[in-house]
Amino acid sequence: MFGLTDKILSYVAGAACLVLAIALFFTHGALNKAERRADKAEVALATEKTGRAEDRTKVSEASAKAMDALRSQQSQIATKYQGALNEARKQADFHRRDAAAARAESDGMREQTLFAARQLADAATPASAIREYAIAANELLDQCSRRYQSVAQAADGHSSDVKTLISAWPSVASMADLPTPKPE
């Protein structure tokens, strides 16, 4: 009986070993599969981290380029603005000098007309002198008239220049139309 029991026990032990071997085989396969999934997840995570770092690098480079473009635009605008201010100062000085010269000329003409009025009022002035003076006064008035016309033309030119500068000067609306750098 001991022989049969030993045989049964050895069969049972063999079957148990076989079951255990099969369970071990499937467990080992499942563990390998889980390890492969974990490795894939680690690779995906590393790739994602690398991608994020590259994205951050690209974004910071694009931001730096945009800031450089903005600084360049601001520098151009500041240079243009300073040039316009300097030119306006020169023009203001020129106009002040012209106005002073015109005042001096006007004062001189006023003195001359007062003198002429006194001379004409004097009965002793000969008629030929009065005629010569009238001719000279007419010529002077013609010159004044031509000068005032040229001053008016210059004023029109200045007005046109001002309008051109105003329309050419950058404004907030025209700044919105400027190209902006795109991230690469």
Side-chain angles (χ1 to χ4, degrees), residues 37-124:
R37 272 192 246 138
D39 288 343
K40 284 181 185 178
E42 284 180 23
V43 168
L45 182 61
T47 303
E48 187 177 325
K49 284 181 181 178
T50 303
R52 286 183 187 164
E54 289 173 358
D55 288 346
R56 274 189 241 120
T57 302
K58 286 179 183 178
V59 166
S60 72
E61 287 173 359
S63 177
K65 285 180 184 178
M67 288 301 294
D68 289 343
L70 180 62
R71 285 186 193 106
S72 173
Q73 289 171 354
Q74 287 175 338
S75 174
Q76 289 172 356
I77 290 170
T79 301
K80 191 174 184 180
Y81 177 71
Q82 189 61 48
L85 285 177
N86 292 341
E87 187 60 31
R89 287 182 186 123
K90 287 179 190 175
Q91 288 295 323
D93 290 342
F94 177 74
H95 291 304
R96 273 189 230 105
R97 285 192 303 267
D98 276 357
R103 275 191 299 276
E105 226 177 287
S106 176
D107 291 344
M109 287 173 52
R110 189 177 304 116
E111 292 291 326
Q112 192 176 11
T113 55
L114 286 173
F115 175 75
R118 285 189 211 113
Q119 290 294 327
L120 288 176
D122 185 11

Side-chain angles (χ1 to χ4, degrees), residues 160-180:
S160 175
D161 290 346
V162 167
K163 288 176 184 174
T164 302
L165 283 173
I166 288 171
S167 65
W169 198 256
S171 64
V172 174
S174 66
M175 294 292 287
D177 297 337
L178 291 175
T180 55

Side-chain angles (χ1 to χ4, degrees), residues 112-117 120 128-138:
Q112 192 176 11
T113 55
L114 286 173
F115 175 75
L120 288 176
S128 62
I130 293 172
R131 277 193 297 275
E132 287 177 23
Y133 189 82
I135 291 170
N138 278 337

